[in-house]
PDB file of all heavy atoms in Angstrom:
ATOM      1  N   ARG A 286      18.973  19.288 116.958  1.00  0.00           N
ATOM      2  CA  ARG A 286      18.816  20.311 115.909  1.00  0.00           C
ATOM      3  C   ARG A 286      19.383  19.740 114.589  1.00  0.00           C
ATOM      4  O   ARG A 286      20.272  18.959 114.453  1.00  0.00           O
ATOM      5  CB  ARG A 286      19.472  21.592 116.426  1.00  0.00           C
ATOM      6  CG  ARG A 286      18.907  22.104 117.585  1.00  0.00           C
ATOM      7  CD  ARG A 286      19.500  23.553 118.014  1.00  0.00           C
ATOM      8  NE  ARG A 286      19.048  23.957 119.290  1.00  0.00           N
ATOM      9  CZ  ARG A 286      18.735  25.267 119.509  1.00  0.00           C
ATOM     10  NH1 ARG A 286      18.909  26.135 118.561  1.00  0.00           N
ATOM     11  NH2 ARG A 286      18.381  25.654 120.741  1.00  0.00           N
ATOM     12  N   TYR A 287      18.818  20.352 113.495  1.00  0.00           N
ATOM     13  CA  TYR A 287      19.273  19.834 112.160  1.00  0.00           C
ATOM     14  C   TYR A 287      19.397  21.008 111.156  1.00  0.00           C
ATOM     15  O   TYR A 287      18.746  22.044 111.158  1.00  0.00           O
ATOM     16  CB  TYR A 287      18.320  18.877 111.609  1.00  0.00           C
ATOM     17  CG  TYR A 287      17.874  17.675 112.504  1.00  0.00           C
ATOM     18  CD1 TYR A 287      16.733  17.711 113.310  1.00  0.00           C
ATOM     19  CD2 TYR A 287      18.851  16.679 112.540  1.00  0.00           C
ATOM     20  CE1 TYR A 287      16.643  16.632 114.190  1.00  0.00           C
ATOM     21  CE2 TYR A 287      18.515  15.454 113.408  1.00  0.00           C
ATOM     22  CZ  TYR A 287      17.460  15.598 114.257  1.00  0.00           C
ATOM     23  OH  TYR A 287      17.266  14.430 115.062  1.00  0.00           O
ATOM     24  N   VAL A 288      20.371  20.776 110.274  1.00  0.00           N
ATOM     25  CA  VAL A 288      20.554  21.718 109.055  1.00  0.00           C
ATOM     26  C   VAL A 288      20.425  20.593 107.901  1.00  0.00           C
ATOM     27  O   VAL A 288      21.150  19.522 107.872  1.00  0.00           O
ATOM     28  CB  VAL A 288      21.878  22.378 109.105  1.00  0.00           C
ATOM     29  CG1 VAL A 288      22.176  22.923 107.729  1.00  0.00           C
ATOM     30  CG2 VAL A 288      21.940  23.355 110.036  1.00  0.00           C
ATOM     31  N   GLU A 289      19.553  20.902 106.886  1.00  0.00           N
ATOM     32  CA  GLU A 289      19.536  20.075 105.672  1.00  0.00           C
ATOM     33  C   GLU A 289      20.579  20.481 104.559  1.00  0.00           C
ATOM     34  O   GLU A 289      20.573  21.749 104.288  1.00  0.00           O
ATOM     35  CB  GLU A 289      18.161  19.968 105.233  1.00  0.00           C
ATOM     36  CG  GLU A 289      17.879  19.162 104.061  1.00  0.00           C
ATOM     37  CD  GLU A 289      16.546  18.950 103.589  1.00  0.00           C
ATOM     38  OE1 GLU A 289      15.677  18.618 104.414  1.00  0.00           O
ATOM     39  OE2 GLU A 289      16.280  19.084 102.385  1.00  0.00           O
ATOM     40  N   ILE A 290      21.337  19.462 104.223  1.00  0.00           N
ATOM     41  CA  ILE A 290      22.389  19.651 103.163  1.00  0.00           C
ATOM     42  C   ILE A 290      22.326  18.722 102.122  1.00  0.00           C
ATOM     43  O   ILE A 290      22.251  17.394 102.483  1.00  0.00           O
ATOM     44  CB  ILE A 290      23.842  19.728 103.964  1.00  0.00           C
ATOM     45  CG1 ILE A 290      23.946  20.765 105.043  1.00  0.00           C
ATOM     46  CG2 ILE A 290      24.890  19.958 102.756  1.00  0.00           C
ATOM     47  CD1 ILE A 290      25.163  20.659 105.772  1.00  0.00           C
ATOM     48  N   LEU A 293      20.031  15.686 103.129  1.00  0.00           N
ATOM     49  CA  LEU A 293      20.401  14.887 104.292  1.00  0.00           C
ATOM     50  C   LEU A 293      20.372  15.759 105.381  1.00  0.00           C
ATOM     51  O   LEU A 293      21.085  16.969 105.435  1.00  0.00           O
ATOM     52  CB  LEU A 293      21.606  14.066 104.027  1.00  0.00           C
ATOM     53  CG  LEU A 293      21.561  13.028 102.940  1.00  0.00           C
ATOM     54  CD1 LEU A 293      23.028  12.673 102.573  1.00  0.00           C
ATOM     55  CD2 LEU A 293      20.728  11.868 103.391  1.00  0.00           C
ATOM     56  N   ARG A 294      19.949  15.343 106.621  1.00  0.00           N
ATOM     57  CA  ARG A 294      19.960  15.988 107.789  1.00  0.00           C
ATOM     58  C   ARG A 294      21.363  16.038 108.471  1.00  0.00           C
ATOM     59  O   ARG A 294      21.882  14.995 108.649  1.00  0.00           O
ATOM     60  CB  ARG A 294      18.917  15.669 108.792  1.00  0.00           C
ATOM     61  CG  ARG A 294      17.511  15.846 108.347  1.00  0.00           C
ATOM     62  CD  ARG A 294      16.479  15.790 109.538  1.00  0.00           C
ATOM     63  NE  ARG A 294      16.598  14.628 110.402  1.00  0.00           N
ATOM     64  CZ  ARG A 294      15.710  14.404 111.276  1.00  0.00           C
ATOM     65  NH1 ARG A 294      14.468  15.013 111.369  1.00  0.00           N
ATOM     66  NH2 ARG A 294      15.980  13.429 112.106  1.00  0.00           N
ATOM     67  N   GLN A 295      21.924  17.183 108.946  1.00  0.00           N
ATOM     68  CA  GLN A 295      23.178  17.323 109.601  1.00  0.00           C
ATOM     69  C   GLN A 295      22.749  17.563 111.050  1.00  0.00           C
ATOM     70  O   GLN A 295      22.183  18.586 111.211  1.00  0.00           O
ATOM     71  CB  GLN A 295      23.962  18.285 109.012  1.00  0.00           C
ATOM     72  CG  GLN A 295      25.556  18.270 109.662  1.00  0.00           C
ATOM     73  CD  GLN A 295      26.305  17.306 108.746  1.00  0.00           C
ATOM     74  OE1 GLN A 295      25.998  16.968 107.579  1.00  0.00           O
ATOM     75  NE2 GLN A 295      27.416  16.696 109.115  1.00  0.00           N
ATOM     76  N   GLY A 296      22.926  16.703 111.966  1.00  0.00           N
ATOM     77  CA  GLY A 296      22.414  16.722 113.318  1.00  0.00           C
ATOM     78  C   GLY A 296      23.597  17.632 114.161  1.00  0.00           C
ATOM     79  O   GLY A 296      24.811  17.545 113.847  1.00  0.00           O
ATOM     80  N   TYR A 297      23.065  18.347 115.197  1.00  0.00           N
ATOM     81  CA  TYR A 297      23.914  19.114 116.081  1.00  0.00           C
ATOM     82  C   TYR A 297      23.196  19.244 117.369  1.00  0.00           C
ATOM     83  O   TYR A 297      21.877  19.355 117.476  1.00  0.00           O
ATOM     84  CB  TYR A 297      24.548  20.261 115.411  1.00  0.00           C
ATOM     85  CG  TYR A 297      23.644  21.412 115.406  1.00  0.00           C
ATOM     86  CD1 TYR A 297      23.521  22.476 116.183  1.00  0.00           C
ATOM     87  CD2 TYR A 297      22.781  21.444 114.155  1.00  0.00           C
ATOM     88  CE1 TYR A 297      22.594  23.515 115.883  1.00  0.00           C
ATOM     89  CE2 TYR A 297      21.823  22.585 113.928  1.00  0.00           C
ATOM     90  CZ  TYR A 297      21.796  23.546 114.888  1.00  0.00           C
ATOM     91  OH  TYR A 297      20.834  24.763 114.571  1.00  0.00           O
ATOM     92  N   MET A 338      28.595  19.372 116.488  1.00  0.00           N
ATOM     93  CA  MET A 338      28.015  18.904 115.120  1.00  0.00           C
ATOM     94  C   MET A 338      28.371  17.271 115.054  1.00  0.00           C
ATOM     95  O   MET A 338      29.475  16.898 115.396  1.00  0.00           O
ATOM     96  CB  MET A 338      28.593  19.519 113.918  1.00  0.00           C
ATOM     97  CG  MET A 338      27.923  19.267 112.575  1.00  0.00           C
ATOM     98  SD  MET A 338      28.919  19.689 111.249  1.00  0.00           S
ATOM     99  CE  MET A 338      30.050  18.370 111.190  1.00  0.00           C
ATOM    100  N   ASP A 339      27.413  16.593 114.551  1.00  0.00           N
ATOM    101  CA  ASP A 339      27.622  15.175 114.088  1.00  0.00           C
ATOM    102  C   ASP A 339      27.902  15.037 112.719  1.00  0.00           C
ATOM    103  O   ASP A 339      27.270  15.488 111.843  1.00  0.00           O
ATOM    104  CB  ASP A 339      26.349  14.338 114.407  1.00  0.00           C
ATOM    105  CG  ASP A 339      26.016  14.283 115.937  1.00  0.00           C
ATOM    106  OD1 ASP A 339      26.856  14.249 116.737  1.00  0.00           O
ATOM    107  OD2 ASP A 339      24.736  14.294 116.313  1.00  0.00           O
ATOM    108  N   HIS A 340      29.098  14.370 112.280  1.00  0.00           N
ATOM    109  CA  HIS A 340      29.415  14.191 110.988  1.00  0.00           C
ATOM    110  C   HIS A 340      28.395  13.352 110.306  1.00  0.00           C
ATOM    111  O   HIS A 340      27.570  12.526 110.991  1.00  0.00           O
ATOM    112  CB  HIS A 340      30.798  13.459 110.850  1.00  0.00           C
ATOM    113  CG  HIS A 340      31.795  14.357 111.346  1.00  0.00           C
ATOM    114  ND1 HIS A 340      32.171  15.584 110.767  1.00  0.00           N
ATOM    115  CD2 HIS A 340      32.805  14.201 112.499  1.00  0.00           C
ATOM    116  CE1 HIS A 340      33.265  16.065 111.357  1.00  0.00           C
ATOM    117  NE2 HIS A 340      33.558  15.253 112.405  1.00  0.00           N
ATOM    118  N   LEU A 341      28.202  13.278 109.046  1.00  0.00           N
ATOM    119  CA  LEU A 341      27.345  12.458 108.210  1.00  0.00           C
ATOM    120  C   LEU A 341      27.678  11.032 108.605  1.00  0.00           C
ATOM    121  O   LEU A 341      28.781  10.623 108.772  1.00  0.00           O
ATOM    122  CB  LEU A 341      27.565  12.713 106.766  1.00  0.00           C
ATOM    123  CG  LEU A 341      26.500  12.063 105.834  1.00  0.00           C
ATOM    124  CD1 LEU A 341      25.113  12.651 105.973  1.00  0.00           C
ATOM    125  CD2 LEU A 341      27.074  12.094 104.332  1.00  0.00           C
ATOM    126  N   ARG A 345      23.222  12.001 115.377  1.00  0.00           N
ATOM    127  CA  ARG A 345      21.775  12.429 114.938  1.00  0.00           C
ATOM    128  C   ARG A 345      21.629  12.697 113.589  1.00  0.00           C
ATOM    129  O   ARG A 345      20.679  12.705 112.967  1.00  0.00           O
ATOM    130  CB  ARG A 345      21.309  13.650 115.578  1.00  0.00           C
ATOM    131  CG  ARG A 345      20.913  13.385 117.097  1.00  0.00           C
ATOM    132  CD  ARG A 345      19.393  12.776 117.210  1.00  0.00           C
ATOM    133  NE  ARG A 345      18.978  12.763 118.601  1.00  0.00           N
ATOM    134  CZ  ARG A 345      17.809  12.528 118.908  1.00  0.00           C
ATOM    135  NH1 ARG A 345      16.910  12.173 118.098  1.00  0.00           N
ATOM    136  NH2 ARG A 345      17.417  12.554 120.315  1.00  0.00           N
ATOM    137  N   SER A 346      22.844  12.781 112.769  1.00  0.00           N
ATOM    138  CA  SER A 346      22.872  12.988 111.399  1.00  0.00           C
ATOM    139  C   SER A 346      22.310  11.785 110.634  1.00  0.00           C
ATOM    140  O   SER A 346      22.432  10.531 111.018  1.00  0.00           O
ATOM    141  CB  SER A 346      24.306  13.343 110.767  1.00  0.00           C
ATOM    142  OG  SER A 346      24.726  14.564 111.372  1.00  0.00           O
ATOM    143  N   ASP A 347      21.819  12.010 109.403  1.00  0.00           N
ATOM    144  CA  ASP A 347      21.404  10.941 108.583  1.00  0.00           C
ATOM    145  C   ASP A 347      22.482  10.133 108.103  1.00  0.00           C
ATOM    146  O   ASP A 347      23.714  10.449 108.047  1.00  0.00           O
ATOM    147  CB  ASP A 347      20.593  11.554 107.250  1.00  0.00           C
ATOM    148  CG  ASP A 347      19.317  12.038 107.602  1.00  0.00           C
ATOM    149  OD1 ASP A 347      18.740  11.635 108.734  1.00  0.00           O
ATOM    150  OD2 ASP A 347      18.742  12.870 106.767  1.00  0.00           O
ATOM    151  N   ARG A 363      30.434  19.413 103.594  1.00  0.00           N
ATOM    152  CA  ARG A 363      29.226  19.445 104.403  1.00  0.00           C
ATOM    153  C   ARG A 363      29.639  20.434 105.647  1.00  0.00           C
ATOM    154  O   ARG A 363      28.700  21.163 106.023  1.00  0.00           O
ATOM    155  CB  ARG A 363      28.805  18.124 104.870  1.00  0.00           C
ATOM    156  CG  ARG A 363      28.183  17.344 103.678  1.00  0.00           C
ATOM    157  CD  ARG A 363      27.659  16.101 104.223  1.00  0.00           C
ATOM    158  NE  ARG A 363      26.520  16.216 105.018  1.00  0.00           N
ATOM    159  CZ  ARG A 363      25.138  16.349 104.528  1.00  0.00           C
ATOM    160  NH1 ARG A 363      25.074  16.244 103.285  1.00  0.00           N
ATOM    161  NH2 ARG A 363      24.132  16.429 105.338  1.00  0.00           N
ATOM    162  N   LEU A 364      30.841  20.269 106.192  1.00  0.00           N
ATOM    163  CA  LEU A 364      31.189  21.234 107.295  1.00  0.00           C
ATOM    164  C   LEU A 364      31.030  22.616 106.915  1.00  0.00           C
ATOM    165  O   LEU A 364      30.529  23.480 107.632  1.00  0.00           O
ATOM    166  CB  LEU A 364      32.517  20.782 107.820  1.00  0.00           C
ATOM    167  CG  LEU A 364      33.157  21.793 108.965  1.00  0.00           C
ATOM    168  CD1 LEU A 364      32.068  21.861 110.152  1.00  0.00           C
ATOM    169  CD2 LEU A 364      34.425  21.452 109.408  1.00  0.00           C
ATOM    170  N   PHE A 367      27.561  23.619 106.598  1.00  0.00           N
ATOM    171  CA  PHE A 367      27.041  23.790 107.904  1.00  0.00           C
ATOM    172  C   PHE A 367      27.327  25.190 108.429  1.00  0.00           C
ATOM    173  O   PHE A 367      26.434  25.831 108.954  1.00  0.00           O
ATOM    174  CB  PHE A 367      27.483  22.613 108.820  1.00  0.00           C
ATOM    175  CG  PHE A 367      27.054  22.629 110.228  1.00  0.00           C
ATOM    176  CD1 PHE A 367      25.838  22.000 110.494  1.00  0.00           C
ATOM    177  CD2 PHE A 367      27.811  23.214 111.255  1.00  0.00           C
ATOM    178  CE1 PHE A 367      25.328  22.037 111.828  1.00  0.00           C
ATOM    179  CE2 PHE A 367      27.344  23.211 112.597  1.00  0.00           C
ATOM    180  CZ  PHE A 367      26.142  22.622 112.798  1.00  0.00           C
TER     181      PHE A 367
END
Side-chain angles (χ1 to χ4, degrees):
R286 302 189 182 213
Y287 303 100
V288 169
E289 185 170 306
I290 302 171
L293 295 167
R294 295 197 316 191
Q295 196 85 21
Y297 67 101
M338 190 197 79
D339 294 327
H340 297 295
L341 186 70
R345 287 278 192 171
S346 292
D347 285 340
R363 291 187 69 85
L364 173 59
F367 180 84

